[in-house]
Amino acid sequence: MPAAHAQLSRALLDQLQTALNNGDTSALASLAGSSDEIGGSELETRYRKLRDQFPNSQWTLAAGKDLADGRNTLKVNVVGNGSQEGRDFRLEASQTLAVRSDGLTLGSQEVLAEESIVRSGERDLEVSVLAPDTVLTGQRYDLDVLMDEPLKDATLAGGLTELTAADLLQEESPEIELGALNAGGIFKTIQAPYQSGRQAWAALLLHPEGTVSISRTVRVVNRL
């Protein structure tokens, strides 16, 4: 049986949320703990990245269902705006973490699901990203990125690329080979690696009324 541990309290979530929204990195470091795997907590790592690109980001935290191994799940949502070279960008992102907590701070953290969508241009074009959160090692699965509205006479271009470990560490936008998307989206069948971990993808859609940049992480496990 998993060892008993404290649940995620609303008080702890409120403290974390306040630290994130106020830019209080000292409080965040104290509350979010650390992870030997990445040299800092998953929450801190994502915070630093998004705060740099989207200075006015606003975060919302909520506890999710407990896992079979006894860990809690923490659902993180963030929205924000940023600008670069005269262009405005709008962010919507979500992350689900498996966490342990002593009731006062977060302990170990593992990313279960992650997705971000950045839009620019005249309109906030609606898209759907269809992919499983978790797959088995070696499994084949579909990843589809679809425009929600019919194209009509619009021309759509785009592309999809896998992100390497180096891409994720550098936190820079990858080069994506673009092509015409006459079917209104990207449809890709993927084979998961034969080692557990994470498989990350980046997609770009170019529409006459706006651009949509998407990143999506799929968790790869030995057994479900």
Side-chain angles (χ1 to χ4, degrees):
M1 294 291 291
H5 63 282
Q7 298 295 302
L8 283 174
S9 68
R10 187 63 248 179
L12 174 56
L13 295 184
D14 286 344
Q15 291 178 68
L16 285 166
Q17 187 170 291
T18 298
L20 289 164
N21 289 329
N22 291 347
D24 190 342
T25 54
S26 296
L28 180 60
S30 298
L31 294 166
S34 64
S35 167
D36 294 337
E37 178 185 347
I38 58 174
S41 77
E42 289 281 3
L43 199 58
E44 287 180 88
T45 299
R46 186 169 182 77
Y47 175 76
R48 289 193 298 267
K49 176 182 177 181
L50 294 184
R51 196 76 174 187
D52 181 58
Q53 297 175 325
F54 303 93
N56 67 344
S57 296
Q58 291 294 300
W59 302 68
T60 304
L61 307 185
K65 294 181 179 180
D66 289 353
L67 301 176
D69 62 9
R71 289 181 296 174
N72 306 131
T73 57
L74 172 61
K75 296 185 178 296
V76 182
N77 290 286
V78 58
V79 295
N81 296 284
S83 61
Q84 185 177 5
E85 299 179 353
R87 295 181 63 193
D88 294 328
F89 298 91
R90 289 138 350 238
L91 167 74
E92 293 180 16
S94 63
Q95 187 181 58
T96 301
L97 299 172
V99 302
R100 296 193 184 277
S101 171
D102 61 7
L104 300 176
T105 63
L106 294 184
S108 62
Q109 301 158 41
E110 178 190 0
V111 175
L112 300 180
E114 189 170 38
E115 179 180 294
S116 67
I117 299 177
V118 177
R119 297 178 175 88
S120 64
E122 299 176 9
R123 293 179 54 201
D124 283 342
L125 298 169
E126 294 300 324
V127 299
S128 294
V129 183
L130 307 178
D133 291 331
T134 304
V135 297
L136 289 168
T137 52
Q139 177 182 337
R140 296 183 69 84
Y141 65 94
D142 293 331
L143 192 158
D144 301 331
V145 182
L146 312 172
M147 295 291 299
D148 288 352
E149 296 182 10
L151 289 179
K152 297 182 180 178
D153 296 329
T155 300
L156 184 68
L160 177 75
T161 189
E162 184 173 1
L163 298 175
T164 66
D167 292 330
L168 294 173
L169 285 174
Q170 292 171 359
E171 299 179 354
E172 295 180 355
S173 299
E175 292 187 6
I176 299 178
E177 184 176 347
L178 302 178
L181 302 175
N182 297 323
I186 299 169
F187 305 87
K188 179 83 170 176
T189 298
I190 297 161
Q191 181 163 10
Y194 288 95
Q195 291 185 335
S196 59
R198 282 185 271 175
Q199 194 170 27
W201 297 88
L204 182 64
L205 298 178
L206 303 180
H207 185 279
E209 297 182 5
T211 300
V212 185
S213 176
I214 298 151
S215 66
R216 175 66 181 263
T217 296
V218 177
R219 183 171 172 245
V220 182
V221 299
N222 291 320
R223 60 182 182 179
L224 296 175

